[in-house]
Amino acid sequence: MPPGRKTGSAAARRPRIAVLGAGGFIGSHLVPRLCDRFGATVDAVDVTFDKLAEGLPGVTRVWASITDAGLLEEITLRADIVISLTALCNPALYNTRPLEVIDASYTDLVPLVELCAQRSRWLVHLSTCEVYGLCALTADGRPARRMDEERSALCLGPIHRERWTYAAAKQLLERVIWAYGRHHGLPFTIVRPFNVIGPRMDFIPGVDGEGTPRVLAAFMHALLMGEDLVLVDGGRQRRSFLYVDELVDAIVRILERPKLCQGQVLNLGNDRNDVSIRELAQALSTAYRALRPHARRSRMRKRTAEEFYGPGYDDSDVRIPSMTKARRLLQWRPRMPLADMLPLIVADYLGRYESRLADSARSGARPQVP
Ligand code: UGA
């Protein structure tokens, strides 16, 4: 059980948890589990709730932005635990709307950290594997295979590579959280998710969002439209994909272990699912064809990063988490292989988008292609 404000109090038995960004991809998976597992009372804060199930017991929907005057004061006054998920976490924005990315990842969240410190609320902050930057390094900057919370030096590209605005802002917020923890008693846990994917991720351009979503939704969009899957720089970059339910398992385990997990930075990823983006494209196409054997065949097309994202983009070639700390603290080991998760994800996208795309094709309002 996660702690309430006073051990043994009613709050300890039925914690009050504020989830900021509850209506997004991860929030929509996490909030129901918080209700199931802890019987928690949840303040679910977001500006949209399309992805979150209706009628969850104990959940109050708070339609608000974290930048609304007084919102964070009100939320931190009530909550025992605050889980912060809000961000602009889409690489297509990092070099095109960098100031908004920095505000969403840093400026807007500093007041939250201050309030949690003043009121001794446990802040569980979802940061990102992007803080490791270009590549895995040892503490003294030599190449390493895995990204490690305790040892890795963090390596961002030069300033004109605006790709790193997000990582720099996220890293600075981690440092602020750490400083409040070490010097001002803030109970905190920093989580670094590694390429979490699953149902309800991102958006389909022209249907429920605009622009370029992250790779999984970009490929799903292409498959649903019978368009080319674009492999940026040939798709040789590698990512380790974690299924969203397993991320949620790990967050639940964190909340069950306040003594072990407070004051910690934790990678949450799946090192067994380290694949190239080309391999992801092939596996997703296979999963799609299994459910829609007669659909128009998509092909793969190479584009340079500059063509696809514009100037200032940059990339990490390989991103493999060290799993040691999460395994030790949480007894958590994710098991879902890519081949098992992709059919579930494809089925979800088909259920949510196929008829909407067909309707707009019939009416001639063809959705925009990224
Ligand atoms: C993401 C985001 O920065 C964050 O959401 C997050 O913190 C983290 O990584 C994560 O998901 O955990 P990245 O993995 O680069 O960054 O984002 P994707 O858009 O999913 O791209 C993955 C790779 O696929 C990149 O190398 C990209 O160039 C490539 N890509 C993307 C394509 O080849 N084709 C596309 O259509 C889109």
Side-chain angles (χ1 to χ4, degrees):
M1 237 333 126
R5 249 164 266 160
K6 294 189 198 104
T7 313
S9 68
R13 288 187 298 278
R14 196 177 158 78
R16 183 152 201 142
I17 304 179
V19 180
L20 309 181
F25 161 51
I26 291 175
S28 73
H29 290 269
L30 177 63
V31 170
R33 286 286 297 283
L34 296 177
C35 304
D36 282 357
R37 173 63 189 87
F38 301 115
T41 304
V42 178
D43 280 331
V45 182
D46 214 321
V47 290
T48 154
F49 286 99
D50 300 343
K51 298 182 181 186
L52 185 65
E54 303 265 355
L56 293 166
V59 175
T60 305
R61 293 178 176 215
V62 182
W63 261 276
S65 159
I66 59 162
T67 57
D68 289 355
L71 188 270
L72 292 177
E73 279 85 351
E74 185 192 321
I75 291 294
T76 53
L77 207 54
R78 287 202 294 263
D80 303 301
I81 301 167
V82 179
I83 303 178
S84 66
L85 306 171
T86 57
L88 287 177
C89 56
N90 179 343
L93 304 176
Y94 304 165
N95 60 323
T96 53
R97 291 163 55 190
L99 297 175
E100 288 162 74
V101 167
I102 291 169
D103 281 346
S105 308
Y106 177 74
T107 324
D108 298 344
L109 290 168
V110 171
L112 173 70
V113 182
E114 289 166 353
L115 283 162
C116 287
Q118 277 165 25
R119 295 175 173 164
S120 290
R121 305 303 191 241
W122 182 6
L123 175 62
V124 178
H125 176 64
L126 269 78
S127 184
T128 173
C129 57
E130 290 244 342
V131 298
Y132 292 105
L134 279 161
C135 54
L137 296 175
T138 60
D140 54 359
R142 284 174 292 116
R145 171 140 176 84
R146 287 165 189 272
M147 295 170 161
D148 185 281
E149 306 93 325
E150 306 297 313
R151 287 180 287 274
S152 288
L154 308 178
C155 170
L156 307 185
I159 296 299
H160 69 269
R161 295 286 194 182
E162 288 181 297
R163 160 58 185 260
W164 305 111
T165 49
Y166 175 70
K170 286 281 210 179
Q171 187 195 133
L172 185 56
L173 195 79
E174 286 195 16
R175 293 189 186 279
V176 169
I177 293 171
W178 182 271
Y180 271 102
R182 174 131 193 267
H183 303 284
H184 300 281
L186 169 70
F188 75 87
T189 305
I190 292 170
V191 170
R192 294 178 180 160
F194 278 67
N195 287 88
V196 178
I197 59 175
R200 304 194 286 282
M201 186 173 185
D202 286 357
F203 58 91
I204 291 295
V207 179
D208 53 358
E210 295 299 338
T212 306
R214 284 174 289 183
V215 67
L216 180 92
F219 285 171
M220 275 312 309
H221 180 219
L223 290 165
L224 288 162
M225 301 287 293
E227 307 273 353
D228 294 345
L229 277 65
V230 176
L231 298 178
V232 174
D233 290 338
R236 60 186 156 66
Q237 314 86 303
R238 303 184 73 84
R239 295 290 187 270
S240 306
F241 291 99
L242 172 67
Y243 194 58
V244 65
D245 283 356
E246 297 191 301
L247 173 84
V248 169
D249 285 342
I251 296 174
V252 165
R253 283 167 186 256
I254 288 172
L255 297 179
E256 290 168 341
R257 293 165 173 77
K259 283 207 177 81
L260 277 176
C261 294
Q262 286 180 1
Q264 299 293 340
V265 181
L266 272 177
N267 287 346
L268 296 179
N270 188 341
D271 56 354
R272 297 183 203 182
N273 288 333
D274 164 43
V275 294
S276 71
I277 297 302
R278 172 178 281 280
E279 287 165 336
L280 173 73
Q282 284 159 345
L284 197 64
S285 301
T286 303
Y288 185 76
R289 292 219 73 72
L291 290 178
R292 289 293 177 273
H294 305 300
R296 184 147 47 110
R297 273 187 188 274
S298 296
R299 295 162 190 263
M300 293 186 205
R301 179 163 53 96
K302 294 181 190 175
R303 286 181 76 187
T304 66
E306 174 104 1
E307 284 165 354
F308 192 73
Y309 290 107
Y313 181 76
D314 203 352
D315 210 343
S316 30
D317 287 346
V318 185
R319 235 187 228 167
I320 305 174
S322 163
M323 310 280 298
T324 314
K325 195 169 171 189
R327 205 178 308 147
R328 176 166 52 81
L329 294 184
L330 308 179
Q331 277 85 55
W332 174 79
R333 181 79 178 147
R335 298 187 188 285
M336 180 84 104
L338 210 52
D340 289 358
M341 64 176 94
L342 293 183
L344 304 177
I345 295 172
V346 170
D348 167 77
Y349 275 84
L350 286 168
R352 274 188 306 137
Y353 294 108
E354 196 174 39
S355 59
R356 283 198 269 176
L357 286 166
D359 287 349
S360 41
R362 264 194 299 276
S363 70
R366 193 173 163 285
Q368 185 191 317
V369 179

